Amino acid sequence: MVATGVTAGTTAAAVVGGSAATIMSATAGTTGAALAATAGATGTAGGAAIASGMATIGGAVGGGMATGAILAAAAPAAAVTVLAVGICKLFDW
């Protein structure tokens, strides 16, 4: 959970109030960018796929591209945390 907060906080500091170019450069090469590209518009590639994916993810919660970047950055860390908690509960640790 701490890693998720740190990841989201770092990304938020880099993208809040930034232009699309700032958001793209702050998230380039990250797992969040790859996740956003998967959610991107069909038929797009590269930066267009990542930008539309971030906008789609952010739009799902009433935000925009910056919100999508924060959510996409936090998603991998959140998934690992949920998985770890599930395994611990499974084995009663």
Side-chain angles (χ1 to χ4, degrees), residues 23-86:
I23 295 168
M24 293 298 290
S25 66
T27 59
T30 64
T31 305
L35 177 65
T38 304
T42 304
T44 58
I50 295 169
S52 69
M54 286 181 185
T56 299
I57 293 168
V61 295
M65 187 176 166
T67 303
I70 294 166
L71 292 175
V80 168
T81 301
V82 168
L83 183 63
V85 168

